[in-house]
Amino acid sequence: MYNIILFGPPGAGKGTQSEKLIEKFQLIHLSTGDILRNEVKAGTPLGLKAKELMDRGDLVPDDVVIGMIRAKLESCNNAKGFIFDGFPRTANQAIALDELLEDLGTSISMMLSLEVENQELINRLLNRGKESGREDDKNEKIINNRIAEYNDKTMPIIKYYQNQGKHEAIVGVGSVEEIFDRLCVAIQTEINA
Ligand code: AP5
Ligand code: MG
């Protein structure tokens, strides 16, 4: 199996690039943000609990998202591999993911980290917020809180993957196609190695 973490701050392009990568490399896209938004839309108890945190731009508790990923991994046992988008986001989630994958006899192949500066992230998200209806794109205060959560709890786990020799930074500015090409080169180089 080939398992990629597509990493980066809010608005870095994880979702956009995941859609293209799953097609090219025949992988399954697991986005905890998308799964949570589906729960909210369906009005499940989990969704109702998560909505308040998501609307503020705060992280949802680790046990909730780890449980969701566990369920997805268990239901996709014939997969060629996964792209994890928006997960892991804390040290506990990174450790739990390694354990879950180990149980499946596999592991993370690489972490690709999209690097985009704050002002560009804010512009992208405010722009999407005009139409998306996503509460967390609505104003700069919430977007800044999402970025602060990322800097505080999420960015430090880069080190966890650097220590395993799995981290690679990718320039996340430019056209969607240019960034996709950079990601493909990184993945292909690793597959050929
Ligand atoms: P989540 O859904 O993961 O959101 P996020 O990471 O904060 O940000 P996005 O998904 O909006 O950004 P993205 O990097 O996918 O970029 P995209 O391709 O969309 O999380 C939402 C919330 O759920 C969290 O705040 C938290 O509450 C909860 N949550 C989720 N996972 C969790 C976890 N593991 N633990 C705890 N809580 C969790 O692009 C953004 C915009 O930019 C789009 O409009 C796109 O069209 C545009 N764009 C993309 N590429 C380019 C480009 N190259 N140039 C110009 N514009 C571009
Ligand atoms: Mg996303």
Side-chain angles (χ1 to χ4, degrees), residues 4-24:
I4 297 168
I5 297 171
L6 192 54
F7 196 77
K14 302 181 295 294
T16 304
Q17 297 295 336
S18 291
E19 290 300 328
K20 296 171 71 66
L21 290 170
I22 55 167
E23 208 171 298
K24 180 166 169 108

Side-chain angles (χ1 to χ4, degrees), residues 14-15 31 34 37 85 128 134:
K14 302 181 295 294
S31 157
D34 288 348
R37 277 183 292 277
D85 158 5
R128 182 177 63 189
R134 261 180 72 164

Side-chain angles (χ1 to χ4, degrees), residues 59-106:
L59 292 186
V60 168
D62 285 337
D63 56 338
V64 172
V65 283
I66 292 167
M68 286 176 355
I69 288 286
R70 179 185 294 119
K72 289 283 174 189
L73 289 176
E74 284 167 357
S75 69
C76 301
N77 46 14
N78 284 328
K80 271 181 80 173
F82 297 94
I83 294 191
F84 296 96
D85 158 5
F87 181 90
R89 252 172 154 104
T90 63
N92 282 339
Q93 292 179 25
I95 293 164
L97 179 59
D98 275 353
E99 289 169 0
L100 288 171
L101 291 175
E102 198 180 336
D103 287 346
L104 296 176
T106 185

Side-chain angles (χ1 to χ4, degrees), residues 19-36:
E19 290 300 328
K20 296 171 71 66
L21 290 170
I22 55 167
E23 208 171 298
K24 180 166 169 108
F25 293 99
Q26 303 290 297
L27 302 170
I28 292 177
H29 183 194
L30 290 184
S31 157
T32 40
D34 288 348
I35 301 170
L36 285 165

Side-chain angles (χ1 to χ4, degrees), residues 180-191:
F180 180 60
D181 286 344
R182 288 176 202 138
L183 291 166
C184 289
V185 167
I187 295 169
Q188 207 58 62
T189 307
E190 172 70 21
I191 288 175

Side-chain angles (χ1 to χ4, degrees), residues 99-174:
E99 289 169 0
L100 288 171
L101 291 175
E102 198 180 336
D103 287 346
L104 296 176
T106 185
S107 60
I108 289 297
S109 309
M110 64 194 312
M111 170 199 249
L112 295 168
S113 175
L114 292 169
E115 301 201 327
V116 179
E117 60 194 20
N118 280 2
Q119 195 53 54
E120 170 73 9
L121 300 173
I122 294 166
N123 293 346
R124 287 183 188 180
L125 295 175
L126 283 175
N127 196 37
R128 182 177 63 189
K130 289 180 198 154
E131 288 160 16
S132 69
R134 261 180 72 164
E135 286 294 322
D136 59 348
D137 287 345
K138 273 214 171 125
N139 66 56
E140 206 161 327
K141 197 167 155 240
I142 302 173
I143 292 171
N144 279 327
N145 187 44
R146 289 161 69 190
I147 294 173
E149 284 278 83
Y150 173 81
N151 289 335
D152 191 27
K153 297 171 185 159
T154 306
M155 203 162 60
I157 69 173
I158 288 178
K159 196 139 197 39
Y160 181 81
Y161 294 95
Q162 273 173 338
N163 289 341
Q164 297 181 32
K166 293 177 178 173
H167 169 262
E168 187 166 340
I170 302 287
V171 175
V173 279

